[in-house]
Each structure stands twice: as C-alpha cells, then as structure tokens.
Amino acid sequence: MKKTIAAISTSILLLAASSNAFASGSIPTDVDRSQFPQKVEFGIDTSLENTPQSKSFSTMATGESILIRAFSDYIPGSTIPVWEYSATGITDPKSILYVASVTTSLFHDNDLIGQSNQAIGLAGFDAEVEYLAESAIEGYWEAFSNHTITNGSDFFTAWTVDSENY
C-alpha cells in the first residue's frame, strides 16, 4: 500500500512538473470562434492493428464551454434588466495519470469582455474556471475556452465555444 501511494505521489509530482508545458492560457481574439464545437473529447488510438475497421478509441479527457445568462437586477430607477453572463470552461480528465488545464473568456459582439485565470486539475481532478460579467446590453455572447491535457509525454490542446444571441 505504501509503495502504491508513493508511486501515485511520484507520478503526480512528475505530471505537475510537466504542467509547465501548458500553453500560456492566453485566449486569441482574432480567430473565427464559430468553427469550434461546444464540447471536445481527447483520446488516443488503442487498437493494435492499423486498419480503419479495427480502430479503437480511448478517452483521455473531455472539454466543454458553457455560457449562461441569468437575471441580476434592474438599472436603478428603470425597468431595464441587468443580466449576469457566466462563461465556464471545464476540462475533465478520465484518469489520475492526466493533468488538465483550462482558460476561458467572455466575448460580446466579437469584443473581448474579459478572461479568467488558468485552472489546473492534477491527478484526474477536473480543471474548471469561470468568468462573470454583468450587462444590460443584448447581442451575441460567447464563452470561449482553451483546454489542455497531458500525461507527461503527450500534450493535447483544443478550443471550445458556446454562444447565444440574446
């Protein structure tokens, strides 16, 4: 039991050290975000044969962007509603061998409103981060996230977006 715990602790330290390889977490503002899905699945080909019929996929992690709008208040002295916009990014590793990372940002009509700090999930724990903003202005809102996953030797990154015209 002590050897197992020591091995897991050592692998966590190695994976934590490899997390320095993660992208800076900076969200680009000049990309066409409409080309990205709301959810992604990271995985590896686990098949022993190299034919299309024998391909087998093993999920390493999933990533998702979530945009939520909720009523907050009214502008003082008026009936104009103020809305709270929540951009959430989640990277969910499927094994304690993986380190996950996520950074998310909130856009309104293609203008960057703000960006979260980077969240890191060690030893199979989710990386989840949220950016909040309030606004009375309607329009096209986007939650845009950068997800990364590594197992110490392999490094994968992907983008997701959730959008709505309110």
Side-chain angles (χ1 to χ4, degrees), residues 1-116:
M1 179 70 173
K2 288 183 181 181
K3 286 184 181 182
T4 303
I5 293 172
I8 291 172
S9 298
T10 302
S11 66
I12 290 171
L13 290 174
L14 289 173
L15 288 173
S18 71
S19 68
N20 290 333
F22 282 138
S24 67
S26 179
I27 301 283
T29 58
D30 59 349
V31 297
D32 177 11
R33 290 177 297 281
S34 67
Q35 66 183 331
F36 299 107
Q38 182 186 0
K39 297 179 183 180
V40 294
E41 189 170 342
F42 297 88
I44 53 175
D45 181 4
T46 58
S47 58
L48 300 175
E49 298 177 33
N50 196 15
T51 64
Q53 296 82 8
S54 67
K55 292 295 180 190
S56 178
F57 187 77
S58 175
T59 300
M60 295 171 66
T62 57
E64 181 176 14
S65 288
I66 302 168
L67 175 67
I68 297 174
R69 180 177 90 154
F71 176 76
S72 177
D73 203 352
Y74 290 102
I75 293 177
S78 77
T79 58
I80 300 171
V82 175
W83 299 96
E84 180 179 79
Y85 293 90
S86 167
T88 304
I90 303 167
T91 308
D92 179 15
K94 301 303 180 191
S95 168
I96 66 168
L97 300 176
Y98 303 129
V99 176
S101 171
V102 65
T103 304
T104 196
S105 58
L106 182 64
F107 286 83
H108 175 254
D109 290 336
N110 280 329
D111 291 326
L112 177 65
I113 302 300
Q115 176 179 314
S116 71

